[in-house]
């Protein structure tokens, strides 16, 4: 068996070992295991059954990891992405008042389009058409939006009639629980401790249980929660996508997942040293793996699945082959049996994780050319628009609308691709639909 693993995953050529790959897979898992608890918490705000979302999250993540490891042979793990799940719950379901069943059907349709544009290699074409600066702005803007959600969920930021938002009350015990979790997680992250986010969540939960701010669960291990409340719901509600507003929602699911996954894949490939002549080998198989996982996830009952930036933790400890991702996938399957822990994972526990992940995503902002106003203005509108409008799609729309305008003003209109001009009109229509 060991010889077969060595041969199939080319461990000798990659100068790695089975032990190192398994350790890297475990490191990646503990770094991103929080998604098992954060995703049900976020999607639960839309009215979805948290237990079913927990199971769907574990299964979709496991499938994506196994495909990425076996087919693409990359040490990159997949899971429902933070940011797009917030868009699903807060922008689409709560903001637009669209039922979660219909929103899930939107994810299903978007995943079908995702697979089609992957097969016809249109994803690479569109990626090339979007300026790199705007891609970095989208990633950073999602990071700010996620962090804003975390600060709000943890009680550190609250609504204020005078100033719109303000500092939360420090006399509330649960707010201090969030502060404790944020401090612990930040220290562990700075010290580069593997699984810092997960450990921070465990420490915060422990303090909450000891102080009585969190009630203890009735059990730790149990059978996986039923998928019945969400299984194939997307398929049954495809017919509900019958308005321009919902078409725009589908497009936004597609665009946001598209940019997030593409950027993460390229970034991780760079970290691991896979990039050759600015191209990623086997990128087609990697894209096919995440789009298939996204399709399966929509049928199971979760928001879009994509490559996870926490895979960098496993790569950092030496993971270089698909065996790393396979190990992570197997661990996600084992994680199915710990659903009772959902009861102790409150918003105060997940809030520090959201804030820290926001920090990680905001690191892409250093890549933006802030010295050129024609680039800086649309990038800044994307970045600031997402958290202040409480909508990822609105932030993207603001930036994509202004980009052709500022480029033309700078006499650089010829540098704007036809696709970007097309997206200009798409987002003009998008904003009109949202307001009408």
């Amino acid at each position: 068996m060991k010889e077969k693993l060595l041969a199939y995953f080319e461990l000798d050529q990659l100068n790695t070992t089975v032990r190192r790959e398994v350790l890297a897979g475990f490191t990646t898992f503990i770094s991103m295991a929080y998604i098992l608890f954060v995703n049900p918490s976020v999607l639960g705000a839309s009215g979805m059954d948290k237990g079913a979302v927990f199971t769907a999250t574990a299964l979709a993540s496991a499938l994506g990891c196994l495909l990425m490891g076996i087919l693409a042979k990359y040490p990159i793990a997949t899971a429902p992405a933070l940011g797009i799940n917030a868009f699903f719950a807060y922008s689409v379901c709560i903001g637009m008042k669209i039922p979660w069943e219909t929103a899930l059907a939107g994810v299903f349709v978007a995943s079908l389009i995702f697979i089609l544009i992957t097969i016809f290699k249109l994803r690479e074409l569109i990626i090339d058409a979007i300026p790199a600066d705007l891609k970095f702005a989208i990633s950073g803007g999602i990071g700010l939006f996620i962090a804003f959600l975390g600060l709000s969920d943890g009680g550190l930021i609250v609504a204020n009639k005078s100033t719109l938002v303000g500092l939360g009350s420090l006399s509330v015990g649960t707010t201090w629980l969030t502060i404790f979790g944020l401090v612990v997680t930040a220290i562990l992250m700075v010290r580069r401790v593997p699984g810092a986010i997960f450990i921070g969540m465990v420490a915060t939960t422990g303090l909450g249980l000891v102080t009585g701010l969190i009630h203890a669960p009735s059990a730790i291990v149990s059978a996986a929660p039923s998928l019945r409340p969400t299984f194939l719901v997307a398929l049954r509600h495809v017919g509900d996508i019958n308005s321009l507003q919902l078409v725009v929602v589908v497009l936004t699911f597609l665009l946001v997942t598209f940019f997030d996954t593409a950027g993460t894949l390229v970034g991780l490939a760079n970290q691991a040293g896979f990039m050759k002549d600015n191209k990623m080998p086997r990128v087609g198989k990697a894209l096919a793996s995440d789009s298939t996982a996204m399709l399966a996830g929509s049928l199971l009952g979760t928001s879009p699945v994509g490559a996870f930036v926490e895979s960098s933790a496993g790569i950092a400890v030496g993971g270089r082959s698909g065996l790393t991702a396979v190990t992570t996938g197997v661990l996600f399957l084992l994680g199915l049996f710990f659903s009772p822990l959902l009861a102790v994972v409150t918003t105060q526990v997940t809030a520090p994780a959201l804030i820290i992940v926001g920090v990680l995503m905001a690191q892409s902002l250093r890549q933006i050319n802030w010295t050129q106003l024609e680039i800086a203005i649309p990038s800044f509108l994307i970045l600031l628009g997402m958290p202040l409008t409480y909508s990822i799609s609105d932030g993207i729309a603001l930036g994509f609308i202004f980009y052709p305008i500022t480029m033309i003003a700078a006499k650089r209109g010829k540098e704007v691709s036809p696709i970007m001009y097309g997206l200009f009109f798409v987002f003009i229509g998008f904003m009109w639909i949202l307001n009408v």
Side-chain angles (χ1 to χ4, degrees):
M1 178 62 72
K2 185 177 180 180
E3 293 300 321
K4 290 182 179 179
L5 289 175
L6 287 171
Y8 184 80
F9 291 109
E10 302 175 342
L11 301 187
D12 290 336
Q13 293 93 315
L14 294 169
N15 195 28
T16 185
T17 63
V18 172
R19 180 181 178 183
R20 185 182 301 163
E21 295 298 304
V22 172
L23 176 61
F26 179 76
T27 302
T28 295
F29 175 74
I30 62 173
S31 297
M32 61 186 289
Y34 66 86
I35 196 62
L36 287 172
F37 309 106
V38 174
N39 201 44
S41 175
V42 173
L43 295 187
S46 70
M48 295 183 70
D49 183 273
K50 290 186 177 182
V53 174
F54 176 89
T55 301
T57 300
L59 291 176
S61 301
L63 175 63
C65 290
L66 292 173
L67 288 174
M68 188 70 74
I70 296 172
L71 297 181
K73 299 183 182 179
Y74 278 123
I76 298 174
T78 64
L82 286 173
I84 192 64
N85 61 356
F87 170 74
F88 181 104
Y90 296 97
S91 296
V92 176
C93 296
I94 296 176
M96 300 180 186
K97 295 180 173 54
I98 293 173
W100 66 263
E101 294 91 343
T102 305
L104 206 57
V107 176
F108 173 71
V109 173
S111 64
L112 289 177
I113 299 173
F114 222 38
I115 290 176
L116 286 175
I117 64 175
T118 299
I119 292 173
F120 292 103
K121 298 184 178 181
L122 294 177
R123 287 175 77 176
E124 291 89 337
L125 181 64
I126 298 175
I127 288 173
D128 291 339
I130 307 300
D133 298 88
L134 298 193
K135 294 176 190 173
F136 295 133
I138 290 170
S139 180
I142 292 173
L144 290 188
F145 182 59
I146 290 172
F148 185 74
L149 285 177
L151 291 167
S152 176
D153 289 345
L156 290 172
I157 287 179
V158 296
N160 187 300
K161 291 183 179 179
S162 301
T163 60
L164 296 182
V165 293
L167 184 66
S169 174
L170 296 181
S171 62
V172 179
T174 51
T175 301
W176 280 102
L177 200 59
T178 299
I179 294 172
F180 170 80
L182 184 58
V183 170
V184 170
T185 306
I187 291 173
L188 293 174
M189 290 291 290
V190 171
R191 299 293 298 175
R192 301 185 184 279
V193 175
I197 292 176
F198 186 68
I199 294 171
M201 290 179 65
V202 172
T204 306
T205 302
L207 178 62
L209 291 171
V210 170
T211 57
L213 293 171
I214 297 176
H215 299 294
S218 57
I220 295 178
V221 178
S222 74
S226 172
L227 269 176
R228 188 173 182 177
T230 60
F231 187 63
L232 297 184
V233 166
L235 202 59
R236 295 195 294 269
H237 287 265
V238 170
D240 294 342
I241 303 175
N242 53 14
S243 68
L244 283 176
Q245 184 188 46
L246 287 170
V247 170
V248 173
V249 168
V250 171
L251 179 63
T252 306
F253 278 137
L254 183 67
L255 289 175
V256 176
T257 307
F258 185 99
F259 297 132
D260 189 38
T261 298
T264 301
L265 283 173
V266 171
L268 294 173
N270 266 318
Q271 179 190 359
F274 293 133
M275 298 295 286
K276 296 179 180 178
D277 299 324
N278 202 35
K279 293 184 179 180
M280 183 177 174
R282 306 185 304 282
V283 66
K285 292 182 178 180
L287 294 173
S289 298
D290 74 66
S291 56
T292 302
M294 178 178 171
L295 176 65
S298 68
L299 295 174
L300 293 170
T302 185
S303 51
V305 175
F308 239 62
V309 71
E310 281 79 5
S311 302
S312 60
I315 293 173
V317 298
R320 290 296 180 273
S321 79
L323 185 56
T324 293
V326 169
T327 301
T328 304
V330 171
L331 290 172
F332 265 115
L333 292 176
L334 294 177
L336 276 169
F337 303 102
F338 293 90
S339 61
L341 293 179
L342 276 174
V344 300
V345 185
T346 63
T347 55
Q348 290 77 33
V349 172
T350 58
L354 294 175
I355 296 168
I356 294 298
V357 170
V359 173
L360 295 175
M361 296 186 72
Q363 291 178 5
S364 65
L365 297 177
R366 68 179 184 273
Q367 306 288 342
I368 298 174
N369 188 349
W370 295 106
T371 61
Q372 297 180 356
L373 282 178
E374 61 269 29
I375 298 296
I377 291 173
S379 297
F380 186 75
L381 288 173
I382 292 173
L383 174 66
L384 201 60
M386 290 185 185
L388 294 189
T389 63
Y390 217 65
S391 170
I392 293 170
S393 56
D394 287 353
I396 293 175
L398 288 173
F400 277 45
I401 289 171
F402 266 83
Y403 177 71
I405 295 173
T406 55
M407 289 294 284
I408 291 172
K411 298 181 180 180
R412 297 176 59 186
K414 291 182 179 179
E415 297 179 32
V416 180
S417 71
I419 291 178
M420 285 304 296
Y421 280 117
L423 290 175
F424 168 82
F425 291 105
V426 166
F427 281 107
I428 288 288
F430 170 76
M431 297 296 283
W432 180 80
I433 291 167
L434 286 182
N435 284 276
V436 174

